[in-house]
């Protein structure tokens, strides 16, 4: 059966993203839109929009427009929203990169997306240049604030006219984050103007931010959670983004205290810190009423412990890069939060729970794969029709790869993952990517990777390897660490005589997970 959202459908405007986000007109011009809480640097709403307009004008003068891509490799900085929306105004797309990626990982995304420009920060220029050169597609590397031997980001800007672009919100791609989907290597997720506009409204239906709020944003804008739930959502509501380039517990707690923050947008490791870290007792968090956790599952016990300690409601949501991201959330208006629930589906969203083996639709209480249909579902994967057809069916339902059920109250619960992805602190790690790295080592004959439970990170990668020549575990880890971002690095290695596989050659990860559970139980 199809489970419709309990909320009335929203009217999704046929609007391009940027005018929708900055709908306030001149009313908020002088209000801080974003403040870097570590150095105090800030931009007003007028300054953010002026930066976006000037970037759009400059890009247009260089012939940048529909079908073209600009990449940004940066932590959260005040210029990020202007860069994002400047590209949006041209009708082009922005692809967002994790600053911890290796040059090899960056080069892959640049080449795959066809990025014409790469915008970064001075500290990352060397890595950015190496990646840009390896990609063979990047025309220019620019640094926010400039730096020795590199053009400044604002040289892309112009005081000329903002281009008048006829944007088709339902078809034109504005954001191109990368996701491993349900399996395999990273793919460009084509999110249209309508996808992002719809999801901001869907989020707002359950999280009622007001203009007088400060929203702490340590969650990175390059990740769909930070991009949409924080950056675009907060700007649309006229709030002030309290930006952090990285997460550190002490400045995070101090910012919440000093700015009298009402709601926190978190990931499970930070909720764990709120529940257990002794530093929390040194700060006054009495202003906090709501803590919203996403990006990875949060266990009910930790949520309840954090709620009691801080004196707030701790609630969850659920979504994926491919769904822009939010499909479910517990609304901030509930009096009692059901532990472990991700809430009902957001407005305009239909959900099916399906037996992954038979395709049979399941009823209340039955665990199955979560399928989702709504205006926030991506257009598809860039240059990969086969992968798109593999996850979006003919009826428009996106097959999430996550296993869960709906209860009698219409709230959903995620219990497991059908897909092979490993979630490390909310970031996706594709086993196939690590396996491909491992088997390039001349001493490794075969390899398989799974996620194993970790109290801090949720999961971490573990490799099972078959050696041609013996190696130390530390050497295997070091070889992988040279080639991938820190969160993808192996935390454990186990040697096997043979990797279990099906007759067709598919790695039987289920058997490896069963092996791991048996080992942990002894």
């Amino acid at each position: 059966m199809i489970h419709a959202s309990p909320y009335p459908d929203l009217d999704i405007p046929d609007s391009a993203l940027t005018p929708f986000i900055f709908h306030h007109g001149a009313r908020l011009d002088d209000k801080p839109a974003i403040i870097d809480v570590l150095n105090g640097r800030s931009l007003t709403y007028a300054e953010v929009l002026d930066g976006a307009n000037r970037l759009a004008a400059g890009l247009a003068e260089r012939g940048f427009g529909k079908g073209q891509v600009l990449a940004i490799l940066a932590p959260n900085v005040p210029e990020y929203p202007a860069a994002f929306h400047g590209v949006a105004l041209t009708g082009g797309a922005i692809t967002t990169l994790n600053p911890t990626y290796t040059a090899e990982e960056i080069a892959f995304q640049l080449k795959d997306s066809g990025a014409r420009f790469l915008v970064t920060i001075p500290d990352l220029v060397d890595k950015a240049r190496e990646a840009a050169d390896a990609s063979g597609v990047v025309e220019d590397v620019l640094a926010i604030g400039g730096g020795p031997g590199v053009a400044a980001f604002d040289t892309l800007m112009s005081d000329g006219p903002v281009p008048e672009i006829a944007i088709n919100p339902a078809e034109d791609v504005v954001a191109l984050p990368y996701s491993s989907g349900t399996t395999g290597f990273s793919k460009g997720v084509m999110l249209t103007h309508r996808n992002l506009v719809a999801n901001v409204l869907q989020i707002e239906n359950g999280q009622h931010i007001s203009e007088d709020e400060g929203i702490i944003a340590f969650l990175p804008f390059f990740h769909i959670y930070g991009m949409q739930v924080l950056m675009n959502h907060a700007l649309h509501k006229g709030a002030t983004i309290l930006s952090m380039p990285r997460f550190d517990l002490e400045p995070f707690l101090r910012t919440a205290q000093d700015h009298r923050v009402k709601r926190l947008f978190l990931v499970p490791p930070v909720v764990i810190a709120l529940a257990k870290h002794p530093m929390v007792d040194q700060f006054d968090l009495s202003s906090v009423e709501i803590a919203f956790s996403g990006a990875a599952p949060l266990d009910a016990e930790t949520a309840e412990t954090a709620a009691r300690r801080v004196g707030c409601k701790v609630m969850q949501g659920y979504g994926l890069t491919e769904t822009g991201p939010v499909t479910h959330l517990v609304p901030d208006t509930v009096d009692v939060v059901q532990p472990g629930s991700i809430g009902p589906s957001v407005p305009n969203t239909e959900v099916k729970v399906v037996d992954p083996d038979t395709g049979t639709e399941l009823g209340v209480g039955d665990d199955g794969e979560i399928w989702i249909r709504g205006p926030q579902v991506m257009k598809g994967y860039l240059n990969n029709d086969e992968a798109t057809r593999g996850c979006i069916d003919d009826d428009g339902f996106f097959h999430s790869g996550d296993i869960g059920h709906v209860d009698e109250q219409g709230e959903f619960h995620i219990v497991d993952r059908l897909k092979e992805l490993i979630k490390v602190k909310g970031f996706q790690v594709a086993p196939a990517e690590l396996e491909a790295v491992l088997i390039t080592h001349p001493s490794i004959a075969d390899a398989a990777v799974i996620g194993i439970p970790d109290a801090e990170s949720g999961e971490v990668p573990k490799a099972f390897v078959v050696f041609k020549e013996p190696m130390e575990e530390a050497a295997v880890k070091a070889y992988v660490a040279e080639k991938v971002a820190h969160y993808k690095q192996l935390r454990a290695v186990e040697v096997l005589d043979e990797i279990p596989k099906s007759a067709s050659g598919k790695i039987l990860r289920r058997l490896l997970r069963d092996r791991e559970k048996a080992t942990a139980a002894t």
Side-chain angles (χ1 to χ4, degrees), residues 244-518:
M244 299 175 66
R246 61 189 176 276
F247 176 78
D248 285 310
L249 184 59
E250 191 276 339
F252 165 74
L253 294 171
R254 187 171 302 282
T255 300
Q257 169 189 273
D258 293 352
H259 289 265
R260 304 297 296 164
V261 169
K262 176 180 177 180
R263 77 185 70 224
L264 302 171
F265 290 98
L266 310 174
V267 288
V270 181
V271 182
I272 292 171
L274 291 179
K276 299 181 178 181
H277 201 288
M279 188 185 293
V280 174
D281 294 328
Q282 300 173 22
F283 294 87
D284 177 9
L285 301 182
S286 59
S287 63
V288 177
E289 299 175 11
I290 297 156
F292 179 87
S293 182
L298 174 67
D299 69 276
E301 182 179 353
T302 298
E304 291 177 310
T305 302
R308 287 193 300 269
R309 190 179 190 196
V310 178
C312 68
K313 294 185 286 190
V314 176
M315 53 192 58
Q316 294 192 70
Y318 170 79
L320 308 101
T321 305
E322 290 85 350
T323 58
V326 179
T327 64
H328 297 72
L329 61 79
V330 177
D332 58 10
T333 53
V334 299
D335 294 324
V336 178
V337 178
Q338 184 182 159
S341 166
I342 59 169
S345 57
V346 295
N348 304 65
T349 302
E350 298 170 300
V351 182
K352 290 197 282 190
V353 182
V354 178
D355 186 311
D357 295 321
T358 66
T360 304
E361 295 179 22
L362 304 175
V364 172
D366 295 326
D367 285 332
E369 185 182 7
I370 305 296
W371 293 9
I372 301 152
R373 181 168 65 187
Q376 71 272 52
V377 173
M378 67 172 180
K379 183 176 181 179
Y381 291 119
L382 179 70
N383 302 324
N384 200 330
D385 291 341
E386 181 180 358
T388 301
R389 290 192 299 270
C391 68
I392 300 179
D393 63 31
D394 292 342
D395 294 322
F397 278 93
F398 173 75
H399 300 193
S400 73
D402 286 324
I403 301 296
H405 64 265
V406 62
D407 62 24
E408 295 286 352
Q409 288 72 45
E411 297 196 23
F412 284 77
H413 303 254
I414 301 297
V415 299
D416 201 354
R417 279 203 296 281
L418 174 68
K419 59 191 177 183
E420 298 173 348
L421 283 180
I422 303 164
K423 280 286 191 77
V424 180
K425 294 186 176 180
F427 292 107
Q428 297 177 340
V429 179
E433 179 182 0
L434 296 180
E435 290 156 2
V437 171
L438 284 162
I439 61 174
T440 62
H441 194 288
S443 295
I444 297 176
D446 203 358
V449 175
I450 64 169
I452 59 174
D454 180 80
E456 180 182 354
S457 299
E459 287 184 309
V460 292
K462 175 177 178 177
F464 296 85
V465 297
V466 177
F467 286 140
K468 296 177 184 176
E469 300 289 340
M471 292 176 65
E472 295 293 329
E473 178 179 350
V476 176
K477 291 179 178 178
Y479 180 74
V480 173
E482 292 176 355
K483 300 178 181 299
V484 300
H486 69 90
Y487 65 89
K488 299 180 184 178
Q489 294 175 16
L490 298 175
R491 307 300 175 84
V493 178
E494 183 174 337
V495 181
L496 298 179
D497 293 329
E498 184 180 29
I499 301 296
K501 295 181 179 179
S502 68
S504 63
K506 181 178 177 62
I507 295 172
L508 297 175
R509 297 184 209 279
R510 174 180 54 81
L511 298 183
L512 295 174
R513 285 191 283 267
D514 289 345
R515 177 189 179 94
E516 187 65 24
K517 289 177 182 177

Side-chain angles (χ1 to χ4, degrees), residues 104-118:
E104 186 177 352
E105 291 169 312
I106 296 165
F108 167 81
Q109 186 168 330
L110 293 174
K111 183 176 181 179
D112 192 69
S113 65
R116 183 175 166 190
F117 298 104
L118 173 57

Side-chain angles (χ1 to χ4, degrees), residues 109-262:
Q109 186 168 330
L110 293 174
K111 183 176 181 179
D112 192 69
S113 65
R116 183 175 166 190
F117 298 104
L118 173 57
V119 174
T120 188
I121 60 171
D123 288 349
L124 297 174
V125 164
D126 289 345
K127 184 163 66 171
R129 279 180 166 157
E130 180 185 349
D133 290 345
S135 75
V137 298
V138 174
E139 178 180 313
D140 206 355
V141 177
L142 307 102
I144 294 169
V150 65
F153 170 55
D154 60 12
T155 62
L156 273 181
M157 297 180 175
S158 168
D159 292 325
V162 178
E164 295 184 8
I165 305 296
I167 289 173
N168 181 339
E171 293 295 329
D172 291 343
V173 175
V174 63
L176 196 60
Y178 271 62
S179 166
S180 297
T182 57
T183 185
F185 291 91
S186 290
K187 298 173 282 291
V189 176
M190 296 189 291
L191 295 171
T192 66
H193 290 255
R194 180 174 173 80
N195 289 150
L196 300 193
V197 167
N199 206 230
V200 166
L201 290 175
Q202 291 168 319
I203 294 164
E204 289 178 358
N205 184 74
Q207 288 289 319
H208 300 85
I209 290 178
S210 62
E211 287 185 7
D212 61 357
E213 288 189 53
I215 303 298
I216 299 178
F218 67 85
L219 296 165
F221 298 147
F222 65 76
H223 188 281
I224 192 68
Y225 186 175
M227 181 195 299
Q228 276 283 86
V229 180
L230 296 178
M231 184 178 75
N232 284 329
H233 178 202
L235 292 173
H236 185 256
K237 295 302 292 184
T240 296
I241 299 171
L242 306 171
S243 177
M244 299 175 66
R246 61 189 176 276
F247 176 78
D248 285 310
L249 184 59
E250 191 276 339
F252 165 74
L253 294 171
R254 187 171 302 282
T255 300
Q257 169 189 273
D258 293 352
H259 289 265
R260 304 297 296 164
V261 169
K262 176 180 177 180

